[in-house]
Amino acid sequence: MTHPTPYYRRLAATPEIEIVLDGTSLRVPADAPVLPSLMALGIEAWSGRNRQAQPLCLMGACFQCTAVVDGRPGQRLCRTPARQGMSIGSEQADG
Amino acid sequence: MADATPVAIVGAGPAGSGVAFALAEAGVGCVLIDDNAAAGGQVFRAGWQQSAPRSAADPRGVELRARLRRAAATIDHRPNSELVAVENGMLWLLDSDGRLGSIRFDALVVATGAIEVFAPMPGWTLPGVVGLAGLQTMLKSAGVVPAAPTVLAGAGPLLYLVATQMIEAGVPVAAVVDAAARPSPGVLAQMAARPSLLLAGLTLRLRLLRARVPVLTSTAIVEIEGGGHAEAVRVAPVDRAWRPHAGSATRIECRVVGLGLGLRPNVDVTRAAGCRHAHDLGRGGWHPERDEDGVTSVPGVFVAGDAGGITGADAAIADGAIVAVAVLRHLCQPVPSMLASEAAVARRLRARQRLFAKAIMQWSAPRPGIFDAAPADTMICRCEAVTRRALDDALAGGYEAPGPAKMATRIGMGACQGRLCHPALQAITQQRRGIAPADQGMPTVRSPLRPVPARALIAMAHARSEP
Ligand code: FES
């Protein structure tokens, strides 16, 4: 789910890399956890295994933010550093 | 083949890093395991530094990371590594590429810090609702902040710290909603055990006043409204048990809601290691039993910092030298005199830090009414979609304790393993069945602690069966 105007913003422009989210390429800051950057792009929820996935604790404890990262399911995006060419997919296409 | 180390430390925050540095001074090496990309823990979190507000960038974190780099020969720092199991002097780690490793140790120091406490409420599953510590993490690690009206709600010092950090970063904070009453004169007098921190707290309060942010005390959110995203909160005054008064709610428009009722020890690892735990709201609830030196009920397992009971960052730093001395004794290694006197000083400091922490808890430890206020349709367990109604039915059906309630509803058995819902489950069981948390017992832990790829599980089983 994305909003036309994101509810979060980056405080400053930093060097970016390219990642792929559900087939769409996006530019996000390098060397930061990927989830806050997605939030700043207006991406705050996606489909999860048995519920909607979304950020909550942002500290790796709540497991609400999981997705498939480079083919590995169950990865917490708040704990996943952005890497050039990384591919992120929802855990279930419809949800 | 497993790696071997005299000391394995889990958590590279101020406590864990402190123990590692003190051991290094004594010439004892360790493996310092951390699930973050950079050391420092939550309080000294690294990452995004440019034009970060002053209050968000702590020079002690920069110093901690520099020291760790200098000590690389003795301290084997393993960032982005998660502990998945621990048994019989062996622990299992998963790195960020999903590779499993194992380490044999003679002593284990658990310095896993704290996690945030949440009270379920209608609408808390909407996007736009995040943790207070989470907002702080986003700011510190990625320089990302809310751009839309934001309500911050909960209790405790973090509420005011995050509010100030957000305002300094230009976030439009619509209101700060504090379930706790203003600290009583008695509590303020106790906080004076640490004048500098009391002053810092009052300064935060003053900054909010100057920024004209409404601060509502003895007030809680009763509902978060919105279609596909948070759009407003409804807040109401609470009674002494923090139960909101129905029917007197005020609506505040916002797009981001930061929630957090304070911190509790992260007991994942001490539980897995089989340590005995006790319940004390003054220490953040369930915590491993530990003596003054950080010795737990399991020989060779030590705990340092907030993981052993919430006492704050300064007490965690003090624990570094104190726990290191205990570890050296356990290993029958000499304690350098420098370190011994450092530990003696730390002990005196820690006594005051504990007094202060106690006063903070008296002021802000969550009261049960705020958990019990969740109406029937509220999602209590998000992972397994268990509502308040289902939990009440399970409890009314004669289930005396969370264990059986879990079996009836699968509450707390999902991906987060109860980290998110346990305080609510416990408080609701207490309110509905009159069973004190200590009598409910601590939830059991499942191994592995983290979801692990099947091939890694097979590798673990294989290694276990080796002589
Ligand atoms: S947001 Fe809680 S684990 Fe990622």
Short mmCIF file of all heavy atoms in Angstrom, two decimals, chain B residues 375-428:
data_model
loop_
_atom_site.label_atom_id
_atom_site.label_comp_id
_atom_site.label_asym_id
_atom_site.label_seq_id
_atom_site.Cartn_x
_atom_site.Cartn_y
_atom_site.Cartn_z
N PRO B 375 -11.37 -3.44 24.31
CA PRO B 375 -12.69 -4.04 24.11
C PRO B 375 -12.64 -5.33 23.28
O PRO B 375 -11.59 -5.70 22.74
CB PRO B 375 -13.48 -2.94 23.38
CG PRO B 375 -12.48 -1.99 22.85
CD PRO B 375 -11.22 -2.17 23.62
N ALA B 376 -13.80 -5.99 23.17
CA ALA B 376 -13.89 -7.36 22.65
C ALA B 376 -13.25 -7.57 21.27
O ALA B 376 -12.64 -8.61 21.03
CB ALA B 376 -15.34 -7.80 22.62
N ASP B 377 -13.37 -6.59 20.38
CA ASP B 377 -12.87 -6.82 19.02
C ASP B 377 -11.38 -6.52 18.86
O ASP B 377 -10.82 -6.72 17.79
CB ASP B 377 -13.65 -5.94 18.03
CG ASP B 377 -15.07 -6.46 17.84
OD1 ASP B 377 -15.25 -7.69 17.99
OD2 ASP B 377 -15.97 -5.65 17.58
N THR B 378 -10.76 -6.03 19.93
CA THR B 378 -9.34 -5.66 19.83
C THR B 378 -8.48 -6.89 19.58
O THR B 378 -8.65 -7.93 20.21
CB THR B 378 -8.88 -5.00 21.14
OG1 THR B 378 -9.84 -4.02 21.49
CG2 THR B 378 -7.52 -4.36 20.98
N MET B 379 -7.54 -6.76 18.66
CA MET B 379 -6.59 -7.83 18.40
C MET B 379 -5.56 -7.81 19.54
O MET B 379 -4.86 -6.82 19.71
CB MET B 379 -5.90 -7.53 17.07
CG MET B 379 -5.32 -8.73 16.41
SD MET B 379 -6.61 -9.88 15.94
CE MET B 379 -7.04 -9.24 14.33
N ILE B 380 -5.52 -8.88 20.32
CA ILE B 380 -4.52 -8.93 21.39
C ILE B 380 -3.23 -9.53 20.84
O ILE B 380 -2.15 -8.97 21.00
CB ILE B 380 -5.01 -9.79 22.59
CG1 ILE B 380 -6.35 -9.27 23.11
CG2 ILE B 380 -3.95 -9.83 23.69
CD1 ILE B 380 -6.30 -7.96 23.85
N CYS B 381 -3.37 -10.69 20.19
CA CYS B 381 -2.20 -11.35 19.59
C CYS B 381 -2.26 -11.09 18.09
O CYS B 381 -3.14 -11.63 17.40
CB CYS B 381 -2.26 -12.84 19.90
SG CYS B 381 -1.10 -13.84 18.95
N ARG B 382 -1.38 -10.27 17.59
CA ARG B 382 -1.41 -9.90 16.17
C ARG B 382 -0.95 -11.04 15.29
O ARG B 382 -1.46 -11.23 14.19
CB ARG B 382 -0.55 -8.66 15.93
CG ARG B 382 -1.07 -7.44 16.63
CD ARG B 382 -0.07 -6.31 16.64
NE ARG B 382 0.20 -5.77 15.33
CZ ARG B 382 0.27 -4.47 15.06
NH1 ARG B 382 0.08 -3.57 16.02
NH2 ARG B 382 0.55 -4.05 13.86
N CYS B 383 0.03 -11.79 15.78
CA CYS B 383 0.62 -12.84 14.94
C CYS B 383 -0.41 -13.93 14.61
O CYS B 383 -0.46 -14.42 13.49
CB CYS B 383 1.81 -13.48 15.65
SG CYS B 383 3.13 -12.31 16.03
N GLU B 384 -1.23 -14.31 15.61
CA GLU B 384 -2.19 -15.40 15.41
C GLU B 384 -3.63 -14.90 15.37
O GLU B 384 -4.57 -15.70 15.46
CB GLU B 384 -2.02 -16.45 16.51
CG GLU B 384 -0.66 -17.15 16.49
CD GLU B 384 -0.50 -18.03 15.25
OE1 GLU B 384 -1.44 -18.75 14.90
OE2 GLU B 384 0.57 -17.98 14.63
N ALA B 385 -3.80 -13.57 15.28
CA ALA B 385 -5.13 -12.97 15.17
C ALA B 385 -6.09 -13.45 16.27
O ALA B 385 -7.18 -13.93 16.01
CB ALA B 385 -5.73 -13.22 13.79
N VAL B 386 -5.66 -13.32 17.52
CA VAL B 386 -6.53 -13.67 18.65
C VAL B 386 -7.09 -12.38 19.24
O VAL B 386 -6.35 -11.48 19.63
CB VAL B 386 -5.75 -14.44 19.75
CG1 VAL B 386 -6.68 -14.77 20.92
CG2 VAL B 386 -5.12 -15.69 19.17
N THR B 387 -8.43 -12.29 19.30
CA THR B 387 -9.07 -11.07 19.81
C THR B 387 -9.24 -11.16 21.32
O THR B 387 -9.12 -12.23 21.93
CB THR B 387 -10.47 -10.89 19.21
OG1 THR B 387 -11.26 -12.03 19.56
CG2 THR B 387 -10.41 -10.73 17.70
N ARG B 388 -9.60 -10.02 21.88
CA ARG B 388 -9.90 -9.96 23.31
C ARG B 388 -11.04 -10.92 23.64
O ARG B 388 -11.03 -11.59 24.68
CB ARG B 388 -10.28 -8.52 23.68
CG ARG B 388 -10.73 -8.34 25.12
CD ARG B 388 -9.58 -8.66 26.04
NE ARG B 388 -10.02 -8.81 27.42
CZ ARG B 388 -10.07 -7.82 28.30
NH1 ARG B 388 -9.71 -6.60 27.93
NH2 ARG B 388 -10.45 -8.03 29.53
N ARG B 389 -12.03 -10.99 22.77
CA ARG B 389 -13.18 -11.85 23.01
C ARG B 389 -12.73 -13.31 23.14
O ARG B 389 -13.11 -14.00 24.09
CB ARG B 389 -14.19 -11.71 21.87
CG ARG B 389 -15.47 -12.53 22.08
CD ARG B 389 -16.45 -12.35 20.93
NE ARG B 389 -16.97 -11.00 20.81
CZ ARG B 389 -16.65 -10.13 19.85
NH1 ARG B 389 -15.81 -10.48 18.88
NH2 ARG B 389 -17.17 -8.92 19.82
N ALA B 390 -11.88 -13.75 22.21
CA ALA B 390 -11.41 -15.14 22.24
C ALA B 390 -10.61 -15.41 23.51
O ALA B 390 -10.73 -16.48 24.12
CB ALA B 390 -10.57 -15.42 21.00
N LEU B 391 -9.82 -14.44 23.91
CA LEU B 391 -9.03 -14.62 25.13
C LEU B 391 -9.94 -14.70 26.35
O LEU B 391 -9.77 -15.58 27.20
CB LEU B 391 -8.02 -13.47 25.28
CG LEU B 391 -7.23 -13.45 26.59
CD1 LEU B 391 -6.43 -14.73 26.77
CD2 LEU B 391 -6.31 -12.24 26.63
N ASP B 392 -10.92 -13.79 26.42
CA ASP B 392 -11.85 -13.81 27.55
C ASP B 392 -12.60 -15.13 27.61
O ASP B 392 -12.80 -15.69 28.69
CB ASP B 392 -12.86 -12.65 27.43
CG ASP B 392 -12.27 -11.33 27.91
OD1 ASP B 392 -11.17 -11.36 28.51
OD2 ASP B 392 -12.89 -10.27 27.68
N ASP B 393 -13.02 -15.64 26.45
CA ASP B 393 -13.72 -16.93 26.42
C ASP B 393 -12.83 -18.02 26.98
O ASP B 393 -13.27 -18.86 27.76
CB ASP B 393 -14.14 -17.29 24.99
CG ASP B 393 -15.31 -16.42 24.51
OD1 ASP B 393 -15.90 -15.72 25.36
OD2 ASP B 393 -15.61 -16.43 23.30
N ALA B 394 -11.57 -18.00 26.57
CA ALA B 394 -10.64 -19.03 27.04
C ALA B 394 -10.45 -18.92 28.55
O ALA B 394 -10.45 -19.92 29.27
CB ALA B 394 -9.30 -18.90 26.33
N LEU B 395 -10.34 -17.68 29.04
CA LEU B 395 -10.13 -17.48 30.48
C LEU B 395 -11.39 -17.87 31.26
O LEU B 395 -11.31 -18.45 32.34
CB LEU B 395 -9.75 -16.03 30.77
CG LEU B 395 -8.35 -15.61 30.32
CD1 LEU B 395 -8.16 -14.11 30.48
CD2 LEU B 395 -7.28 -16.36 31.10
N ALA B 396 -12.58 -17.53 30.69
CA ALA B 396 -13.83 -17.83 31.38
C ALA B 396 -14.07 -19.34 31.40
O ALA B 396 -14.74 -19.86 32.29
CB ALA B 396 -14.99 -17.13 30.69
N GLY B 397 -13.51 -20.04 30.44
CA GLY B 397 -13.69 -21.49 30.36
C GLY B 397 -12.89 -22.23 31.42
O GLY B 397 -12.69 -23.43 31.32
N GLY B 398 -12.39 -21.50 32.42
CA GLY B 398 -11.70 -22.17 33.51
C GLY B 398 -10.21 -22.23 33.33
O GLY B 398 -9.50 -22.81 34.13
N TYR B 399 -9.74 -21.65 32.26
CA TYR B 399 -8.29 -21.65 32.08
C TYR B 399 -7.68 -20.71 33.09
O TYR B 399 -7.99 -19.54 33.14
CB TYR B 399 -7.94 -21.22 30.66
CG TYR B 399 -8.38 -22.21 29.64
CD1 TYR B 399 -9.44 -21.94 28.80
CD2 TYR B 399 -7.73 -23.43 29.54
CE1 TYR B 399 -9.85 -22.87 27.87
CE2 TYR B 399 -8.14 -24.36 28.61
CZ TYR B 399 -9.20 -24.09 27.78
OH TYR B 399 -9.60 -25.00 26.87
N GLU B 400 -6.82 -21.25 33.90
CA GLU B 400 -6.32 -20.49 35.04
C GLU B 400 -5.11 -19.64 34.71
O GLU B 400 -4.81 -18.69 35.39
CB GLU B 400 -5.94 -21.46 36.17
CG GLU B 400 -7.16 -22.11 36.81
CD GLU B 400 -7.99 -21.10 37.59
OE1 GLU B 400 -7.42 -20.12 38.10
OE2 GLU B 400 -9.21 -21.28 37.66
N ALA B 401 -4.39 -19.98 33.70
CA ALA B 401 -3.11 -19.31 33.48
C ALA B 401 -2.85 -19.19 31.99
O ALA B 401 -3.50 -19.84 31.18
CB ALA B 401 -2.01 -20.10 34.17
N PRO B 402 -1.89 -18.35 31.63
CA PRO B 402 -1.62 -18.13 30.21
C PRO B 402 -1.28 -19.40 29.46
O PRO B 402 -1.61 -19.52 28.29
CB PRO B 402 -0.43 -17.18 30.23
CG PRO B 402 -0.50 -16.49 31.54
CD PRO B 402 -1.09 -17.48 32.50
N GLY B 403 -0.67 -20.35 30.12
CA GLY B 403 -0.30 -21.59 29.42
C GLY B 403 -1.49 -22.20 28.72
O GLY B 403 -1.53 -22.30 27.48
N PRO B 404 -2.53 -22.59 29.48
CA PRO B 404 -3.72 -23.18 28.86
C PRO B 404 -4.44 -22.20 27.93
O PRO B 404 -4.98 -22.62 26.90
CB PRO B 404 -4.60 -23.52 30.06
CG PRO B 404 -3.66 -23.64 31.21
CD PRO B 404 -2.55 -22.69 30.93
N ALA B 405 -4.46 -20.90 28.27
CA ALA B 405 -5.11 -19.93 27.39
C ALA B 405 -4.43 -19.95 26.03
O ALA B 405 -5.06 -19.82 24.99
CB ALA B 405 -5.06 -18.53 27.99
N LYS B 406 -3.13 -20.18 26.06
CA LYS B 406 -2.37 -20.28 24.82
C LYS B 406 -2.83 -21.46 24.00
O LYS B 406 -3.01 -21.37 22.79
CB LYS B 406 -0.89 -20.51 25.16
CG LYS B 406 -0.06 -19.28 25.24
CD LYS B 406 1.35 -19.75 25.47
CE LYS B 406 2.35 -18.65 25.30
NZ LYS B 406 3.70 -19.15 25.52
N MET B 407 -3.03 -22.61 24.71
CA MET B 407 -3.42 -23.81 23.98
C MET B 407 -4.79 -23.59 23.36
O MET B 407 -5.06 -24.07 22.27
CB MET B 407 -3.52 -24.99 24.94
CG MET B 407 -2.35 -25.06 25.87
SD MET B 407 -1.21 -26.27 25.34
CE MET B 407 -1.54 -27.52 26.55
N ALA B 408 -5.67 -22.88 24.06
CA ALA B 408 -7.03 -22.70 23.57
C ALA B 408 -7.08 -21.72 22.41
O ALA B 408 -7.92 -21.83 21.55
CB ALA B 408 -7.93 -22.23 24.70
N THR B 409 -6.19 -20.77 22.38
CA THR B 409 -6.33 -19.69 21.39
C THR B 409 -5.12 -19.52 20.47
O THR B 409 -5.18 -18.76 19.53
CB THR B 409 -6.50 -18.34 22.11
OG1 THR B 409 -5.34 -18.10 22.90
CG2 THR B 409 -7.74 -18.31 22.97
N ARG B 410 -4.02 -20.18 20.78
CA ARG B 410 -2.75 -19.95 20.09
C ARG B 410 -2.20 -18.55 20.37
O ARG B 410 -1.32 -18.08 19.67
CB ARG B 410 -2.88 -20.15 18.56
CG ARG B 410 -2.96 -21.62 18.17
CD ARG B 410 -2.69 -21.82 16.70
NE ARG B 410 -1.38 -21.32 16.27
CZ ARG B 410 -0.24 -21.96 16.48
NH1 ARG B 410 -0.22 -23.07 17.13
NH2 ARG B 410 0.88 -21.43 16.03
N ILE B 411 -2.72 -17.89 21.40
CA ILE B 411 -2.18 -16.57 21.72
C ILE B 411 -0.71 -16.71 22.11
O ILE B 411 -0.33 -17.63 22.83
CB ILE B 411 -2.99 -15.89 22.85
CG1 ILE B 411 -2.55 -14.42 23.00
CG2 ILE B 411 -2.85 -16.61 24.19
CD1 ILE B 411 -3.50 -13.58 23.81
N GLY B 412 0.10 -15.81 21.57
CA GLY B 412 1.51 -15.80 21.93
C GLY B 412 2.33 -16.91 21.30
O GLY B 412 3.48 -17.11 21.65
N MET B 413 1.75 -17.65 20.37
CA MET B 413 2.50 -18.76 19.78
C MET B 413 2.91 -18.46 18.33
O MET B 413 3.36 -19.34 17.62
CB MET B 413 1.68 -20.04 19.84
CG MET B 413 1.44 -20.46 21.29
SD MET B 413 0.34 -21.86 21.44
CE MET B 413 1.44 -23.20 20.98
N GLY B 414 2.73 -17.23 17.91
CA GLY B 414 3.05 -16.87 16.54
C GLY B 414 4.50 -16.45 16.38
O GLY B 414 5.35 -16.77 17.21
N ALA B 415 4.73 -15.72 15.31
CA ALA B 415 6.10 -15.38 14.93
C ALA B 415 6.86 -14.64 16.02
O ALA B 415 8.06 -14.84 16.19
CB ALA B 415 6.08 -14.55 13.65
N CYS B 416 6.17 -13.79 16.78
CA CYS B 416 6.91 -13.00 17.76
C CYS B 416 7.10 -13.75 19.07
O CYS B 416 7.73 -13.24 19.99
CB CYS B 416 6.24 -11.64 18.01
SG CYS B 416 4.98 -11.65 19.29
N GLN B 417 6.56 -14.94 19.18
CA GLN B 417 6.68 -15.78 20.37
C GLN B 417 6.23 -15.08 21.65
O GLN B 417 6.82 -15.25 22.71
CB GLN B 417 8.12 -16.27 20.52
CG GLN B 417 8.55 -17.16 19.39
CD GLN B 417 9.51 -18.24 19.88
OE1 GLN B 417 9.39 -18.75 20.97
NE2 GLN B 417 10.47 -18.59 19.04
N GLY B 418 5.21 -14.25 21.52
CA GLY B 418 4.64 -13.60 22.69
C GLY B 418 5.35 -12.34 23.14
O GLY B 418 4.95 -11.71 24.12
N ARG B 419 6.40 -11.96 22.44
CA ARG B 419 7.12 -10.74 22.84
C ARG B 419 6.19 -9.53 22.85
O ARG B 419 6.32 -8.65 23.67
CB ARG B 419 8.27 -10.45 21.88
CG ARG B 419 9.53 -11.21 22.21
CD ARG B 419 10.61 -10.96 21.16
NE ARG B 419 11.38 -12.17 21.03
CZ ARG B 419 11.22 -13.07 20.09
NH1 ARG B 419 10.34 -12.89 19.14
NH2 ARG B 419 11.95 -14.15 20.07
N LEU B 420 5.26 -9.53 21.91
CA LEU B 420 4.37 -8.37 21.73
C LEU B 420 3.18 -8.43 22.70
O LEU B 420 2.82 -7.44 23.29
CB LEU B 420 3.87 -8.41 20.28
CG LEU B 420 3.53 -7.11 19.60
CD1 LEU B 420 4.60 -6.08 19.83
CD2 LEU B 420 3.37 -7.38 18.10
N CYS B 421 2.57 -9.59 22.86
CA CYS B 421 1.30 -9.66 23.57
C CYS B 421 1.41 -10.09 25.02
O CYS B 421 0.45 -10.00 25.76
CB CYS B 421 0.34 -10.61 22.84
SG CYS B 421 0.92 -12.31 22.81
N HIS B 422 2.57 -10.58 25.45
CA HIS B 422 2.61 -11.16 26.78
C HIS B 422 2.24 -10.23 27.92
O HIS B 422 1.47 -10.61 28.81
CB HIS B 422 3.94 -11.86 27.07
CG HIS B 422 3.92 -12.56 28.38
ND1 HIS B 422 4.54 -12.06 29.49
CD2 HIS B 422 3.25 -13.66 28.79
CE1 HIS B 422 4.28 -12.85 30.52
NE2 HIS B 422 3.51 -13.84 30.12
N PRO B 423 2.72 -8.98 27.93
CA PRO B 423 2.30 -8.09 29.03
C PRO B 423 0.78 -7.94 29.09
O PRO B 423 0.20 -7.91 30.18
CB PRO B 423 2.98 -6.76 28.69
CG PRO B 423 4.17 -7.13 27.88
CD PRO B 423 3.73 -8.33 27.08
N ALA B 424 0.13 -7.87 27.93
CA ALA B 424 -1.33 -7.73 27.91
C ALA B 424 -1.99 -9.02 28.38
O ALA B 424 -2.91 -9.00 29.21
CB ALA B 424 -1.81 -7.37 26.50
N LEU B 425 -1.52 -10.15 27.88
CA LEU B 425 -2.07 -11.45 28.28
C LEU B 425 -1.98 -11.61 29.80
O LEU B 425 -2.94 -12.02 30.47
CB LEU B 425 -1.29 -12.57 27.57
CG LEU B 425 -1.56 -14.00 28.00
CD1 LEU B 425 -3.01 -14.37 27.79
CD2 LEU B 425 -0.65 -14.96 27.24
N GLN B 426 -0.86 -11.23 30.34
CA GLN B 426 -0.61 -11.38 31.76
C GLN B 426 -1.54 -10.45 32.58
O GLN B 426 -2.13 -10.87 33.57
CB GLN B 426 0.85 -11.04 32.02
CG GLN B 426 1.30 -11.18 33.43
CD GLN B 426 2.79 -11.04 33.53
OE1 GLN B 426 3.55 -12.01 33.42
NE2 GLN B 426 3.24 -9.82 33.70
N ALA B 427 -1.63 -9.19 32.14
CA ALA B 427 -2.45 -8.23 32.88
C ALA B 427 -3.93 -8.60 32.80
O ALA B 427 -4.66 -8.49 33.78
CB ALA B 427 -2.22 -6.82 32.34
N ILE B 428 -4.38 -9.06 31.63
CA ILE B 428 -5.78 -9.42 31.48
C ILE B 428 -6.10 -10.66 32.33
O ILE B 428 -7.12 -10.73 33.00
CB ILE B 428 -6.13 -9.65 29.98
CG1 ILE B 428 -6.07 -8.30 29.23
CG2 ILE B 428 -7.52 -10.28 29.83
CD1 ILE B 428 -6.17 -8.40 27.72
#
